[in-house]
Amino acid sequence: MSVGQVFPEQYLTQLTDKVTRVQQLLANFNAPNAEVFASEPTHYRLRAEFRIWHNGDDIYHAMFDSESREKVRIDHFPVACRAIADFMPVLLKHIQFNHELRYKLYQVDYLATLSGELLVSLIYKRPLTNSWLEQATKLTEALASEYNVKFIGRSRKQKLMVSDDYVTEQFELDNTQLKYQQVEGSFTQPNGEVNRHMLGWAKNIANKLSGDLLELYCGNGNFSIALAPCFDNVVATEISRTSIKSAQYNIALNQVTNLQVVQMSAEDVSAALQQGSTLKQLDLTNMQLNTVLVDPPRAGLDAGTEQLVSRFNDIIYISCNPDTLAQNLQALSSTHDIIQLAVFDQFPYTHHIETGVWLRKR
């Protein structure tokens, strides 16, 4: 794909190619035909990062071609959701001749939600003063009648906020309103609508299960909060302190009472459960941990975590890398069968694909 461009007429063909590749990778594991969850072909991404280029009085967003490393001017960005794409020229218009907001502005990061909030991080190669905060506050007030936008200013070892450093995503899933705090700089699912499909697919499976759930790599509670009503108890683990704080905030925000989060790496969880039945003073002896949900990084599951999840009756595996998923299935297929397979196109016009697998112990 050309930098910043989309080609909707090619979308279904490219998606078909990605689905075919996943099916071929998993063919040796007797995987069923995949359920396919497509993305919108335009305006699908809720996060975007740009360099800001200065040329005299002109100022514009720019990206770099991943192969040639050449700078590409971005005046229209149909990859981003409407909230971001429509706001990009508005931002430039308001800061172009505002010295305090423009001077040595190096980068702009956007974070949006399906519910219409927008967080804009302005990143500088200079120290920021109260004058910057005053101008950013005035800009927020000037835009308030048309845009639900918040501004953050960043420079080396410095962060200034007009109000908050997060947005709150809100959407409905199975007649339930879900809310998630999404903090600037932390991981969030980039394709909001496809994320809803992922949660819906996983919850449909969870509705068929019973007992308690262990989730590894829980992030801000994206899956565990959505799936909590399906289980008696949920224990979720995550290594990132920022994500743990957001998960705890989101548990309270959604009034979930059967979910506990623990700050531990998947490797440490595996080691702890091998040695006993506690996780950081959390007693698991009275729990029926029949189901595990994993959403690992691109490297997949390490050997210890592989061994841990193989002990569970049901495994819901969300993968951002089908190659490492296939590697993990080499081990897991010796004890489990694939019951359901799904493909979620989080990243249109790229080779990346999210895959969901439900495995059941034989």
Side-chain angles (χ1 to χ4, degrees):
M1 182 178 73
S2 300
V3 176
Q5 300 303 308
V6 299
F7 302 94
E9 68 280 2
Q10 300 177 16
Y11 175 68
L12 289 179
T13 299
Q14 293 175 342
L15 176 57
T16 299
D17 290 343
K18 288 196 278 190
V19 173
T20 299
R21 179 173 179 270
V22 170
Q23 293 275 186
Q24 291 173 344
L25 272 173
L26 306 188
N28 292 336
F29 308 111
N30 297 315
N33 290 332
E35 299 174 71
V36 179
F37 296 89
S39 171
E40 291 294 328
T42 63
H43 297 297
Y44 48 84
R45 189 172 174 87
L46 297 177
R47 299 199 314 254
E49 300 175 1
F50 301 93
R51 287 283 297 276
I52 294 296
W53 220 257
H54 303 255
N55 185 11
D57 285 342
D58 194 15
I59 182 174
Y60 58 88
H61 296 87
M63 300 180 76
F64 289 86
D65 187 279
S66 59
E67 295 181 2
S68 69
R69 301 307 302 163
E70 291 183 358
K71 172 175 59 69
V72 179
R73 177 172 178 149
I74 305 294
D75 291 320
H76 175 57
F77 196 63
V79 173
C81 66
R82 287 286 183 185
I84 294 175
D86 291 348
F87 189 73
M88 288 166 60
V90 174
L91 175 68
L92 297 184
K93 176 184 175 182
H94 280 82
I95 70 173
Q96 183 175 9
F97 298 108
N98 184 316
H99 179 77
E100 189 62 45
L101 296 180
R102 172 178 172 162
Y103 181 55
K104 291 195 174 181
L105 177 62
Y106 170 75
Q107 181 173 320
V108 176
D109 296 350
Y110 296 92
L111 174 63
T113 68
L114 295 173
S115 47
E117 290 188 40
L118 181 60
L119 181 64
V120 180
S121 299
L122 304 174
I123 303 170
Y124 295 83
K125 285 190 170 182
R126 66 176 176 93
L128 300 179
T129 66
N130 284 335
S131 295
W132 180 92
L133 191 58
E134 291 172 5
Q135 290 299 313
T137 301
K138 288 180 180 179
L139 178 57
T140 304
E141 294 169 350
L143 296 170
S145 63
E146 296 184 65
Y147 300 96
N148 187 3
V149 60
K150 304 173 185 178
F151 289 101
I152 294 174
R154 280 193 173 275
S155 64
R156 191 164 186 257
K157 297 182 179 181
Q158 190 178 19
K159 176 179 176 180
L160 297 181
M161 298 183 296
V162 173
S163 56
D164 304 313
D165 63 349
Y166 65 87
V167 291
T168 302
E169 178 63 281
Q170 301 182 60
F171 56 83
E172 188 174 288
L173 185 73
D174 289 346
N175 299 315
T176 300
Q177 192 75 12
L178 296 178
K179 301 177 183 179
Y180 294 94
Q181 179 194 64
Q182 298 181 343
V183 178
E184 179 241 10
S186 64
F187 174 78
T188 56
Q189 297 288 345
N191 192 319
E193 289 295 348
V194 173
N195 181 52
R196 287 177 66 183
H197 289 311
M198 292 170 61
L199 295 178
W201 178 81
K203 190 171 184 181
N204 182 57
I205 294 168
N207 280 327
K208 303 171 186 176
L209 307 177
S210 61
D212 302 316
L213 170 70
L214 172 67
E215 181 183 359
L216 308 180
Y217 318 95
C218 75
N220 70 350
N222 184 50
F223 279 98
S224 48
I225 288 170
L227 271 55
C230 307
F231 296 94
D232 296 328
N233 297 283
V234 179
V235 177
T237 68
E238 169 62 48
I239 189 61
S240 165
R241 185 172 299 176
T242 300
S243 294
I244 283 286
K245 288 181 178 179
S246 284
Q248 292 168 335
Y249 181 95
N250 291 333
I251 289 169
L253 188 63
N254 290 276
Q255 300 180 342
V256 177
T257 58
N258 64 335
L259 167 58
Q260 299 181 72
V261 292
V262 181
Q263 187 178 1
M264 293 181 72
S265 69
E267 294 84 353
D268 288 343
V269 172
S270 301
L273 291 182
Q274 294 284 356
Q275 297 170 8
S277 57
T278 61
L279 292 179
K280 286 194 173 181
Q281 288 74 55
L282 178 61
D283 186 2
L284 306 179
T285 53
N286 294 321
M287 291 189 184
Q288 292 183 318
L289 289 170
N290 303 323
T291 303
V292 63
L293 187 149
V294 292
D295 185 6
R298 291 190 57 77
L301 304 177
D302 64 276
T305 307
E306 238 181 34
Q307 186 176 6
L308 170 66
V309 302
S310 69
R311 295 160 48 186
F312 287 76
N313 188 56
D314 290 281
I315 305 168
I316 303 173
Y317 190 140
I318 307 296
S319 169
C320 60
N321 185 347
D323 293 297
T324 54
L325 170 64
Q327 292 171 14
N328 290 145
L329 289 175
Q330 292 283 357
L332 296 176
S333 63
S334 65
T335 55
H336 289 69
D337 294 320
I338 298 178
I339 306 301
Q340 283 184 215
L341 170 66
V343 171
F344 308 95
D345 196 17
Q346 282 266 9
F347 307 97
Y349 312 106
T350 75
H351 69 278
H352 296 295
I353 193 76
E354 295 269 334
T355 307
V357 177
W358 173 24
L359 299 122
R360 168 153 282 181
K361 201 163 195 174
R362 286 195 288 274

